[in-house]
Amino acid sequence: MHYREEELRSIAASPGVTIKDFRESNGNLCGAPSPTALSTLKLGKLRVVRRRLLQHYEHQPFVSCLAGLYGCQWRRYQRTRATPGDCCCSKVECASLLLLIVTFGLSLVFLYFWSEAQNDYNDFDWFNFGNLGFWFPWSVVLLVITAIFFSYVTLLLLLAVCLLSEGQKLYLHWAHKIGILVSLIFSIVATAVLSDLWSKQWRTILLSFQVTAPYLHVGGVLVMTLLSWPIALHFFRINRKVVRALILGLYLAVLCALYIVPLGMYSPCLKEKGTLGPAPALIGHRGAPMLAPENTLMSFEKVVEAGGEGLETDVTISYDGVPFLMHDKTLKRTTNVQEVFPNRTDTNAAMFTWGELETLNAGAWFLQRDPFGTAWSLGDRDRKQVQNQSVCTFRDFLELAAQRGKQVIFDLYRPPSGHPYRDTWITRTLEVIQNQSSIQSHQVLWLPPELRSLVQEMNPDLQQTSGSHASVEELQRMHIVKLNLHYSSMSTEMISEYAVANISTNLYVISQPWLYSLAWCSGAQSVTTNALQLLNNLTRPLFLMTPDEYNLMWVLTDVISFILIFIILIFHWWRERGLLASCSGSKPTLEQGTYSKFRTEMSDVWSVSSVNILGEPAQSPLAMGPNLATISEH
């Protein structure tokens, strides 16, 4: 006859001996029960055992939820525990787990890569516009898709870690396996394509490490500290010494590498107090293209309003010899040429006369496509002004700079074959600067490399500017006073070397605060930007700290992490040792098997609750399942 709930309650109220006495009278709770022990058992001492049983069944829905999300096994009390010393799953599931980890790593790399590439999203979208013929914010869509895939893979990995921590075998659902494969293929293809089309973006990643590495180090140590819990749990439960050594060795190797990696870190933003130079001057890239259509008078006026110190543009010469502002070879991106001249959409902009160019609208496209997602910030007055913008002449551009005392820098495009000014484009541009505008020559940073000697002879007051790297001696021989370089070539040593020779450095195009902060810390004298109104509000570089502050952060992070990991290891060693001793009644040994949480925690409960007075054989826990839910604390 088996004990029912009312019988257990009656025994609970009677005096008796301790659990230890009960174990001794039965020989061992893990062995056969003795009927004589039941008459002397004080069930009040069973409250701890019964509480364990209730806690287990309160905990089981959590495990069932994990198994349901990971493997779509939603039965409430369903579980499949790993046997002592066995692998956590089959070979197929091991391969799936390995694939999940690889996918997580690649997804993380691509997400970091693409999120740090935000500075050049506009170039990416316009590149696609040129190839596809229509505008769409592909950069943002790609970022959202990447974030979704990464979140999905991260969730699955967290579920797997939690299931392993519960001693459960892994059974990944086939739908998740397909999802992981799709995420992996997406990450590989996207990385390969962007590396081929936009290889210099990897240089941006290296630059980002210079300002984010101290914080990435803290994040990495935090992750490894959190992982110490499941790793320690399994380390003390696994029988095989080789597996134990591999797990602990790999974990400690990664952890030690993280602890000492700051020794090899370099960041220009780690500076002693008082050594930071002035903020780089801001030059509007084609004006202020986030606030107005690029290369229009309105756009350059926005630069002046925002406090910019220079104006950057691109100059093309019309078929009848009028220099005007246009970046692209064609007019279809920034004008309504398709409506006015539908048969000349792909015609080179320089092959239009100025009379034809004057008929085009160069502003309406800005509101239609909203390339930076900033059109919402414009008021009604600005929106009306945008709609009335026309193609701007080089002369009007120079006059605005002259009136506001701003420096100018520009790219000059040579007209195509068959153009009347193909061989005289340099002299025609100089003529406008010298004879048709009131700008002072020293306000002009002359960038075009062609016929530089002739230009110096015609106007020696122009500030000669180079767009390529060269030795200091060669630059001085060409009378170069300023370098105009892409930000990917940023180097503190290079900027400092040129500065000693009185050659200043301008970096283009920098629109993200972290990049501007890096340029500031590196000593750049000026930057060309799309986001002048944003960068002008920075009062100090982001991530700026002194070496002493960073060393303190580094040491505290490593010390706190080491202490926490040590405590976690000691705790798991103590718990596993105690759990094994509670069942065996003797000193635990590795050979007895340490991965027995289920057996050791519940053996007392099953032994007592399944014993009958006549000494009948104890039933298995699964056979008693329906009765377990009736046991409760009072």
Side-chain angles (χ1 to χ4, degrees):
M1 180 175 64
H2 297 289
Y3 275 95
R4 295 184 297 274
E5 181 181 4
E6 57 270 21
E7 295 171 318
L8 291 176
R9 288 177 180 172
S10 64
I11 298 175
S14 63
V17 296
T18 63
I19 295 298
K20 180 179 180 182
D21 297 329
F22 182 70
R23 279 204 188 99
E24 292 173 350
S25 64
N26 284 275
N28 193 320
L29 277 175
C30 297
S34 171
T36 60
L38 295 174
S39 61
T40 59
L41 179 63
K42 184 175 83 172
L43 195 56
K45 294 294 186 178
L46 282 177
R47 288 189 176 183
V48 175
V49 180
R50 288 159 56 201
R51 187 178 297 113
R52 280 187 178 180
L53 174 62
L54 293 173
Q55 287 175 346
H56 175 76
Y57 270 81
E58 289 169 359
H59 187 57
Q60 186 59 34
F62 171 69
V63 177
S64 299
C65 182
L66 293 177
L69 292 173
Y70 189 79
C72 293
Q73 300 178 8
W74 290 101
R75 289 180 57 188
R76 180 174 174 80
Y77 296 119
Q78 181 175 5
R79 63 185 176 193
T80 307
R81 287 185 172 269
T83 57
D86 283 353
C87 181
C88 63
C89 43
S90 64
K91 291 183 179 179
V92 174
E93 295 304 324
C94 279
S96 298
L97 179 60
L98 180 60
L99 184 66
L100 176 60
I101 295 173
V102 172
T103 304
F104 170 80
L106 291 178
S107 299
L108 177 61
V109 169
F110 184 72
L111 178 62
Y112 183 83
F113 165 80
W114 194 239
S115 60
E116 292 301 309
Q118 290 185 44
N119 187 80
D120 299 321
Y121 277 5
N122 188 250
D123 291 341
F124 178 78
D125 290 335
W126 284 128
F127 172 81
N128 289 320
F129 174 84
N131 287 278
L132 300 176
F134 64 92
W135 169 260
F136 191 76
W138 295 106
S139 56
V140 177
V141 172
L142 184 57
L143 180 63
V144 171
I145 294 175
T146 303
I148 291 174
F149 277 132
F150 175 74
S151 300
Y152 169 68
V153 172
T154 302
L155 177 61
L156 287 180
L157 189 58
L158 289 175
L159 290 173
V161 171
C162 291
L163 285 170
L164 291 176
S165 298
E166 292 295 329
Q168 300 291 315
K169 281 194 173 183
L170 300 181
Y171 294 99
L172 184 63
H173 194 265
W174 62 266
H176 287 323
K177 293 177 181 177
I178 294 177
I180 292 172
L181 189 60
V182 171
S183 301
L184 179 63
I185 293 174
F186 171 81
S187 298
I188 293 175
V189 172
T191 302
V193 171
L194 289 176
S195 295
D196 181 57
L197 299 177
W198 219 5
S199 58
K200 65 182 179 181
Q201 281 303 122
W202 289 107
R203 173 64 179 167
T204 303
I205 301 299
L206 298 179
L207 292 176
S208 72
F209 286 153
Q210 293 185 16
V211 293
T212 62
Y215 305 93
L216 292 177
H217 166 252
V218 174
V221 172
L222 175 62
V223 170
M224 293 301 293
T225 304
L226 294 175
L227 286 177
S228 66
W229 183 274
I231 288 176
L233 182 69
H234 287 278
F235 174 78
F236 288 111
R237 290 179 176 177
I238 293 176
N239 288 340
R240 290 174 288 186
K241 294 182 179 180
V242 174
V243 177
R244 288 159 59 97
L246 286 176
I247 291 177
L248 187 61
L250 179 61
Y251 176 77
L252 291 179
V254 175
L255 185 65
C256 290
L258 279 175
Y259 281 169
I260 64 175
V261 73
L263 292 174
M265 284 183 184
Y266 165 75
S267 175
C269 289
L270 295 179
K271 286 185 173 295
E272 296 288 354
K273 291 184 178 180
T275 60
L276 179 67
L282 298 175
I283 298 176
H285 182 236
R286 307 175 201 167
M290 288 186 175
L291 304 177
E294 67 179 58
N295 281 333
T296 61
L297 277 180
M298 178 184 178
S299 187
F300 295 111
E301 288 170 352
K302 290 292 184 182
V303 174
V304 175
E305 293 175 8
E309 298 185 30
L311 309 175
E312 186 273 347
T313 189
D314 312 275
V315 180
T316 301
I317 298 180
S318 69
Y319 195 79
D320 51 352
V322 178
F324 65 98
L325 311 186
M326 184 61 56
H327 173 268
D328 299 358
K329 289 183 178 181
T330 67
L331 303 168
K332 63 181 180 181
R333 181 174 70 87
T334 58
T335 70
N336 62 340
V337 66
Q338 194 166 6
E339 300 174 7
V340 181
F341 302 103
N343 297 326
R344 303 174 66 185
T345 301
D346 296 322
T347 301
N348 192 294
M351 301 306 287
F352 286 79
T353 64
W354 177 244
E356 294 171 331
L357 294 170
E358 281 186 306
T359 63
L360 300 176
N361 186 302
W365 66 272
F366 180 79
L367 297 178
Q368 296 170 1
R369 295 168 185 159
D370 193 11
F372 292 95
T374 54
W376 62 269
S377 64
L378 301 181
D380 293 338
R381 180 179 178 182
D382 284 342
R383 286 177 174 271
K384 184 176 180 180
Q385 187 178 0
V386 164
Q387 296 281 4
N388 294 323
Q389 292 303 300
S390 58
V391 178
C392 181
T393 64
F394 184 48
R395 178 181 176 279
D396 291 339
F397 167 76
L398 294 176
E399 283 300 310
L400 175 64
Q403 294 171 8
R404 303 302 179 91
K406 304 298 180 182
Q407 290 188 330
V408 299
I409 182 173
F410 56 89
D411 285 311
L412 179 60
Y413 300 138
R414 186 179 185 182
S417 299
H419 193 283
Y421 290 87
R422 176 169 173 78
D423 296 325
T424 57
W425 87 106
I426 294 288
T427 54
R428 177 68 186 118
T429 304
L430 284 173
E431 181 181 352
V432 173
I433 295 174
Q434 294 175 311
N435 303 325
Q436 298 180 13
S437 71
S438 59
I439 195 170
Q440 300 296 315
S441 294
H442 64 81
Q443 293 178 252
V444 178
L445 306 176
W446 184 266
L447 183 60
E450 297 86 357
L451 305 176
R452 191 178 293 275
S453 299
L454 175 63
V455 172
Q456 289 178 337
E457 291 179 4
M458 295 180 63
N459 193 337
D461 293 331
L462 296 174
Q463 295 192 54
Q464 295 298 321
T465 305
S466 175
S468 58
H469 285 284
S471 65
V472 172
E473 294 75 15
E474 183 178 355
L475 294 176
Q476 289 177 333
R477 186 168 56 253
M478 294 187 298
H479 304 287
I480 300 296
V481 297
K482 196 176 192 70
L483 287 174
N484 186 56
L485 305 174
H486 190 267
Y487 73 83
S488 61
S489 62
M490 188 189 316
S491 167
T492 303
E493 294 76 12
M494 175 198 71
I495 294 174
S496 177
E497 179 184 359
Y498 289 138
V500 171
N502 293 322
I503 300 175
S504 60
T505 302
N506 178 70
L507 301 173
Y508 69 90
V509 172
I510 292 178
S511 301
Q512 289 295 306
W514 74 266
L515 260 179
Y516 180 68
S517 298
L518 185 61
W520 189 345
C521 294
S522 298
Q525 285 75 32
S526 61
V527 301
T528 302
T529 180
N530 291 323
L532 187 143
Q533 76 285 355
L534 176 64
L535 302 186
N536 206 31
N537 293 327
L538 288 180
T539 57
R540 68 190 299 270
L542 303 177
F543 313 110
L544 179 66
M545 66 178 75
T546 66
D548 290 339
E549 290 173 340
Y550 174 62
N551 290 334
L552 179 62
M553 182 178 73
W554 168 27
V555 173
L556 283 179
T557 299
D558 288 358
V559 169
I560 293 174
S561 170
F562 177 81
I563 293 174
L564 290 176
I565 292 174
F566 181 77
I567 292 174
I568 290 172
L569 289 172
I570 294 298
F571 170 76
H572 281 288
W573 173 82
W574 169 80
R575 190 179 71 165
E576 293 301 316
R577 187 181 182 89
L579 287 175
L580 187 60
S582 68
C583 181
S584 64
S586 62
K587 184 177 180 179
T589 60
L590 185 61
E591 288 74 14
Q592 287 174 305
T594 55
Y595 200 143
S596 54
K597 179 181 179 182
F598 173 69
R599 183 189 66 197
T600 56
E601 284 190 344
M602 305 306 299
S603 59
D604 289 348
V605 178
W606 301 135
S607 297
V608 173
S609 59
S610 62
V611 167
N612 59 66
I613 295 177
L614 299 178
E616 295 175 3
Q619 286 184 310
S620 68
L622 295 179
M624 295 183 59
N627 295 326
L628 297 177
T630 64
I631 301 177
S632 60
E633 280 294 310
H634 297 283

